[in-house]
């Protein structure tokens, strides 16, 4: 399972959130790129994923995402929350799951309006420990395991892979061994403070209507040519359809157990200057989780892709091979997704994407890597995003 680290501005908000078992991040009422990116992070959340919180240099946990009976893991805070239209207090019916849905906050010396569009619920796993661990102590506990957290900058939350999630969990449990023993001595009775809030959410959502309206969103931002204007929306569509195991999408991309969005892929330097993979993921060897069979590298272009975009994909392939795949290209599958491809430049650059390597030592076995697939996307009027292989 994956994990998520959520940042809160103060310890008061931290403790209230941990007790309530409900979280919603504040985003811009306008449908800008950061809001689209946040949606891309939300759509890959699954029940059972770990939950951690960060405030005042310390990390707290441990929770796990749950579904409120009959609902998805991620719920719309109010009707129309997943919309390209700018949201105002008049644009919802005053019945948000988490209130106040609209808030005025101070940002860069100015007061601005922010809105809670989407809601998730979590429960203790096994406890929401009130004793946090300093970030420096956390990073020192298992240095090789931490990748995403080292680039946690200017974001409300970040996704952790299995290895990083295990390291988070280990560090927090070790810091709270005495509290854990006390918890076990109470006949393993979980904290109950969150239950009333979850029951309230259930009562408010029994009439339905809280699911993310993704098809409607895709249809509303579709151009007359059947494309998206922003690469971010293509990424969101891919993540949403693969995370929900859309059969047609999986015929093209395959099935992936872990998917993440905008993952940094360059040596450590100022975060604003780091390259990011549009989509990164991996799948396990079936029946042998968490042993990884293959890593996913996916680059997106909203319009026409060129030979330069192939080289960008290969930069990420080389990075994943080095940082994740122990030097083995055969563990990586790559995709370049676009609405169209510039045939001449793609064809001339394709030979440069080939890689060669050795597997094993006694004796080494040579292999040739060319596992890169070109994929065309189009958006139907019904909001279904279609993918098909592009042949040179």
């Amino acid at each position: 399972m994956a994990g998520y680290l959520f940042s809160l501005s103060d310890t008061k908000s931290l403790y209230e959130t941990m007790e309530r078992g409900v979280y919603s991040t504040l985003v811009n009422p306008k449908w800008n790129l950061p809001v689209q990116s946040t949606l891309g992070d939300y759509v890959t959340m699954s029940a059972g994923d770990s939950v951690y919180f960060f405030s005042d240099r310390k990390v707290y946990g441990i929770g796990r995402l749950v579904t409120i009976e009959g609902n998805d893991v991620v719920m719309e805070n109010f009707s129309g929350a997943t919309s390209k239209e700018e949201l105002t207090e008049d644009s919802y019916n005053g019945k948000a799951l988490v209130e106040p849905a609209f808030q005025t906050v101070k940002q860069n010396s100015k007061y601005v309006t922010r809105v809670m569009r989407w809601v998730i619920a979590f429960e203790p796993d096994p406890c929401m420990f009130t004793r946090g661990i300093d970030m420096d102590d956390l990073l020192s506990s298992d240095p090789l395991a931490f990748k995403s957290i080292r680039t946690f900058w200017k974001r409300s939350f970040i996704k952790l892979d299995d290895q990083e999630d295990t390291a988070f969990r280990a560090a927090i449990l070790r810091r709270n061994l005495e509290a854990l023993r006390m918890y076990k001595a109470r006949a393993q009775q979980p904290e109950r403070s969150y239950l009333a809030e979850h029951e309230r959410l259930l009562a408010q959502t029994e009439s339905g209507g809280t699911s993310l309206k993704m098809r409607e969103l895709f249809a509303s931002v579709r151009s007359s040519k059947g494309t998206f204007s922003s690469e971010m929306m293509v990424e969101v569509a891919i993540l949403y359809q693969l995370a929900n195991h859309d059969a047609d999408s999986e015929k093209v991309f395959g099935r992936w157990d872990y998917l993440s969005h905008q993952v940094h892929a360059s040596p450590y330097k100022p975060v604003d200057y780091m390259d990011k993979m549009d989509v990164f993921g991996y799948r396990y060897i079936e029946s042998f989780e968490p042993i990884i069979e293959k890593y996913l590298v996916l680059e997106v272009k909203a319009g026409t892709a060129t030979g330069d975009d192939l080289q960008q994909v290969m930069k990420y392939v080389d990075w994943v091979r080095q940082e994740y795949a122990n030097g083995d290209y055969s563990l990586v599958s790559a995709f370049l997704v676009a609405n169209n491809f510039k045939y001449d430049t793609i064809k001339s650059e394709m030979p440069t994407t080939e890689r060669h390597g050795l597997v094993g030592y006694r004796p080494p076995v040579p292999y040739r890597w060319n596992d890169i697939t070109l994929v065309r996307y189009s958006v139907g009027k019904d909001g279904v995003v279609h993918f098909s292989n592009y042949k040179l």
Side-chain angles (χ1 to χ4, degrees):
M1 287 293 182
Y4 291 89
L5 177 66
F6 299 92
S7 179
L8 295 172
S9 59
D10 56 76
T11 53
K12 181 177 181 294
S13 300
L14 168 81
Y15 292 130
E16 288 178 352
T17 300
M18 291 197 300
E19 288 178 3
R20 292 177 66 190
V22 174
Y23 172 84
S24 179
T25 190
L26 288 165
V27 297
N28 200 308
K30 295 182 179 179
W31 188 249
N32 58 16
L33 286 178
V35 173
Q36 296 173 39
S37 182
T38 301
L39 177 59
D41 294 328
Y42 268 112
V43 297
T44 65
M45 291 181 176
S46 299
D49 288 348
S50 299
V51 173
Y52 308 95
F53 294 100
F54 174 74
S55 183
D56 192 24
R57 288 184 52 89
K58 291 185 178 181
V59 176
Y60 301 80
I62 304 166
R64 65 183 179 93
L65 292 178
V66 297
T67 57
I68 300 299
E69 185 177 349
N71 293 281
D72 298 326
V73 172
V74 182
M75 300 171 284
E76 284 195 336
N77 193 25
F78 52 88
S79 179
T82 311
S83 169
K84 71 171 184 176
E85 305 300 329
E86 181 175 355
L87 301 178
T88 66
E89 293 190 60
D90 296 328
S91 64
Y92 80 110
N93 57 14
K95 295 183 179 179
L97 298 180
V98 177
E99 291 284 11
F102 289 80
Q103 299 181 25
T104 300
V105 298
K106 191 173 184 179
Q107 185 174 336
N108 299 327
S109 304
K110 296 181 179 179
Y111 287 94
V112 295
T113 298
R114 292 293 179 259
V115 59
M116 293 180 177
R117 289 177 179 261
W118 305 292
V119 175
I120 55 174
F122 60 92
E123 64 183 20
D125 185 33
C127 301
M128 294 303 302
F129 297 107
T130 56
R131 184 185 184 192
I133 181 171
D134 186 86
M135 181 63 78
D136 286 352
D137 291 338
L138 177 76
L139 293 173
S140 300
S141 66
D142 191 358
L144 296 180
F146 297 109
K147 292 184 175 68
S148 297
I149 187 60
R150 297 183 183 275
T151 60
F152 190 27
W153 176 249
K154 296 181 180 179
R155 297 179 67 170
S156 299
F157 61 92
I158 195 168
K159 189 169 187 175
L160 314 172
D161 64 21
D162 292 80
Q163 183 182 21
E164 202 162 7
D165 175 40
T166 299
F168 264 73
R169 192 175 188 87
I172 291 174
L173 287 174
R174 288 167 181 155
R175 182 55 57 95
N176 289 277
L177 283 175
E178 184 175 347
L180 184 61
R181 293 188 186 103
M182 293 176 63
Y183 162 79
K184 290 182 176 180
R186 295 198 303 267
Q188 297 190 352
Q189 289 297 315
E191 296 144 296
R192 316 300 287 185
S193 55
Y194 67 94
L195 291 179
E197 186 69 6
H198 288 189
E199 289 172 1
R200 183 189 68 80
L201 286 180
L202 177 59
Q204 284 190 248
T205 60
E206 282 182 335
S207 59
T210 64
S211 297
L212 304 186
K213 309 303 186 293
M214 300 300 291
R215 300 298 186 211
E216 292 88 337
L217 172 64
F218 295 152
S220 70
V221 298
R222 169 189 182 272
S223 74
S224 59
K225 296 181 179 179
T227 63
F228 290 133
S229 61
S230 76
E231 293 175 6
M232 195 69 73
M233 282 308 302
V234 186
E235 297 165 25
V236 171
I238 292 170
L239 290 163
Y240 172 73
Q241 293 187 186
L242 288 181
N244 286 276
H245 301 297
D246 175 74
D248 290 336
S249 300
E250 289 190 338
K251 285 180 182 177
V252 175
F253 297 108
R255 184 183 179 97
W256 300 93
D257 296 298
Y258 174 90
L259 293 164
S260 193
H261 180 227
Q262 292 291 305
V263 177
H264 290 87
S266 61
Y268 292 115
K269 54 188 174 184
V271 174
D272 286 343
Y273 297 98
M274 296 183 77
D275 295 318
K276 298 177 184 177
M277 293 181 280
D278 291 336
V279 175
F280 169 73
Y282 51 76
R283 66 168 169 261
Y284 306 121
I285 298 176
E286 189 175 355
S287 302
F288 292 95
E289 300 86 348
I291 301 173
I292 293 173
E293 174 191 355
K294 190 78 72 171
Y295 291 95
L296 168 70
V297 173
L298 194 152
E299 178 71 4
V300 168
K301 296 298 166 188
T304 300
T306 68
D308 289 341
D309 300 316
L310 274 178
Q311 297 306 322
Q312 186 70 24
V313 176
M314 292 312 302
K315 181 177 181 180
Y316 298 145
V317 168
D318 292 339
W319 173 259
V320 171
R321 169 252 184 188
Q322 171 186 315
E323 293 295 314
Y324 293 89
N326 298 318
D328 187 355
Y329 280 109
S330 68
L331 295 179
V332 185
S333 286
F335 295 85
L336 176 58
V337 181
N339 179 250
N340 209 343
F341 295 87
K342 195 168 184 180
Y343 181 86
D344 292 343
T345 62
I346 291 287
K347 188 173 181 62
S348 65
E349 291 293 327
M350 186 60 79
T352 69
T353 65
E354 191 171 285
R355 298 290 189 268
H356 298 268
L358 299 172
V359 176
Y361 294 97
R362 299 184 179 181
V365 178
Y367 67 85
R368 178 172 64 91
W369 184 93
N370 60 354
D371 188 1
I372 182 168
T373 304
L374 305 180
V375 176
R376 291 188 65 175
Y377 86 92
S378 62
V379 188
K381 292 182 179 179
D382 58 357
V384 176
V385 183
H386 303 279
F387 301 100
S388 59
N389 290 333
Y390 177 83
K391 303 294 185 182
L392 287 173

